Amino acid sequence: MQNETILRTNKSPKSRLSRGLRDHLVAYSFIAPNFIGFALFTLVPMIFAFILAFVKWDGANPMKFIGLDNFSRLISDTTFHKALWNTIVYTIGVVPLTMIVALALAILLNQKIMGRNFMRTVFFFPYVASLVAVAAVWNFIFSPTMGPVNNILHLITGIPLEELPRWAADKQWAMFTVVLFTVWKNMGYYMVIYLAGLQGINPELYEAAELDGAGPWRRFRNVTVPQLAPTTFFVLMILVINSFKVYDIFINLFAGADNQLSDATRVMVYQIYNTAFRSLDYGYASAMAIVLFLLVLGITIVQFRGEKKYGQ
C-alpha cells in the first residue's frame, strides 16, 4: 500500500499530461469518422453552395461574380413563386392531416384489442416499403379508368367514369392526391411516435379523472392532449421540415407529367434540381437553396424555442 502511494506521488506532471492527451486522442478518434463524413458531405457542400449563390456558373465556363443578382432574380421569378406556393399548400395539407390520422390510430391501437400488434405492423408497413413500388401501386389504385377507387365511386354514385376526378393525372386534383399519398405512407411512422408518447402517460391520471366523473372526451382533452404536448410539438416540427424538403414523392408520382401538371405539382426542391442539373444554372439554383435553407432554419429556431417551453 505504501509502495503504491509512493508511486502515485512520484508521477511527474509530464506523465499525467501524456495520459490526459491520450484520453483526448482516443475520444477524438471515436468522433473523427462522423466528423469527417459531416465535413465532406454536408459542411463543404453548404459552404460551396453559399459561394455559388453569388456567381453565374454553368459548370463548364469560368465562374462570374454577380453579387446579389441571383437573389433579385428570385423576386420576379413566377416559376419560383409557384414552387414556393405549392410547397406551402402541400405542407398545409400534409401536416395537420398526418397528425390527426396518426394520433387517432395510436389511440385506437393503444387499447387492448385483438390483433393490435398485427394492425400496427400493417399501418407501419407503407413507411418501410419501397417508395417506387408503393407509388406504382398508388397510381394504379387511382387510375382514372382502371383504378378501383373510381370504379367504386362509379358504382356507388352512378357518375360516369369520364366525369370522376382524374386524381394524379389532373392538375386540379394532383396536389390533393399527393397529400393523400404522403399521409398514407407516413402515418405509421408518426403513429409509432404517438404510441410511445401515450404509453409514457401515467395511468393514475386517467384514474383520477375518471373518479372525478370525466368522460372519454374530457379525459382526452384534459389528460391526453396536455401530456402529449412535447410529442405533438416534435411531430409538428419534423413534419413541417420534411414537407419543405419533399422531392422524391413528387418525382415518383408525377414522372413524365405534362407541363401543366408539372406547374401544379412543382415544389421547391424539384425546382432547385431542375434549375441546377437540367438548366445548368448552378448559381441561381444555389440562391434558391439558400432561401429554402433559411426557411428551414427559421422553423428549427422555432423548434428550439418551443422545446424550452413544451419539452419540460
Side-chain angles (χ1 to χ4, degrees), residues 38-295:
F38 170 77
L40 286 178
F41 301 110
T42 302
L43 185 61
V44 172
M46 284 176 62
I47 295 172
F48 190 54
F50 271 95
I51 296 171
L52 283 181
F54 299 96
V55 302
K56 184 175 180 59
W57 188 46
D58 61 3
N61 296 305
M63 296 181 185
K64 180 183 178 184
F65 181 75
I66 57 173
L68 296 174
D69 285 1
N70 283 328
F71 293 96
S72 61
R73 186 178 160 191
L74 285 175
I75 298 173
S76 57
D77 187 348
T78 55
T79 305
F80 174 74
H81 297 166
K82 183 66 177 175
L84 177 59
W85 174 248
N86 286 339
T87 305
I88 293 172
V89 170
Y90 172 80
T91 303
I92 292 173
V94 164
V95 173
L97 197 56
T98 303
M99 293 178 70
I100 292 170
V101 173
L103 177 58
L105 286 175
I107 292 173
L108 176 65
L109 297 180
N110 196 41
Q111 309 300 317
K112 294 179 180 177
I113 58 176
M114 187 175 65
R116 67 174 182 175
N117 289 335
F118 173 75
M119 295 305 297
R120 288 175 182 175
T121 306
V122 168
F123 286 113
F124 189 73
F125 179 74
Y127 181 74
V128 296
S130 164
L131 177 59
V132 176
V134 293
V137 172
W138 191 266
N139 275 329
F140 169 73
I141 291 174
F142 282 86
S143 170
T145 55
M146 297 184 295
V149 172
N150 269 10
N151 280 287
I152 291 172
L153 288 175
H154 170 65
L155 291 174
I156 294 174
T157 63
I159 300 174
L161 285 174
E162 296 76 18
E163 297 179 13
L164 287 172
R166 292 172 56 79
W167 304 111
D170 187 340
K171 66 176 184 179
Q172 303 294 334
W173 289 88
M175 187 58 75
F176 177 74
T177 306
V178 74
V179 167
L180 282 183
F181 175 80
T182 307
V183 173
W184 170 76
K185 190 174 190 314
N186 294 332
M187 63 183 180
Y189 173 73
Y190 294 103
M191 176 196 73
V192 171
I193 295 176
Y194 270 123
L195 270 173
L198 286 171
Q199 291 170 6
I201 298 176
N202 189 345
E204 293 179 356
L205 295 174
Y206 289 107
E207 294 171 3
E210 200 167 353
L211 286 174
D212 288 340
W217 171 246
R218 283 192 61 193
R219 290 201 298 272
F220 171 76
R221 191 182 62 185
N222 296 333
V223 177
T224 305
V225 172
Q227 292 296 314
L228 281 181
T231 305
T232 300
F233 193 80
F234 171 77
V235 169
L236 173 67
M237 289 299 105
I238 295 297
L239 273 170
V240 171
I241 292 172
N242 287 341
S243 296
F244 269 91
K245 298 191 300 179
V246 67
Y247 170 75
D248 49 355
I249 290 177
F250 283 85
I251 286 293
N252 283 282
L253 279 181
F254 302 105
D258 59 33
N259 289 334
Q260 285 190 337
L261 193 57
S262 295
D263 287 341
T265 58
R266 183 182 288 112
V267 288
M268 284 188 69
V269 178
Y270 183 76
Q271 182 64 18
I272 292 170
Y273 173 83
N274 273 347
T275 305
F277 300 107
R278 292 184 178 173
S279 303
L280 300 180
D281 195 348
Y282 294 106
Y284 191 45
S286 296
M288 294 181 188
I290 287 178
V291 172
L292 177 61
F293 169 76
L294 293 176
L295 286 173

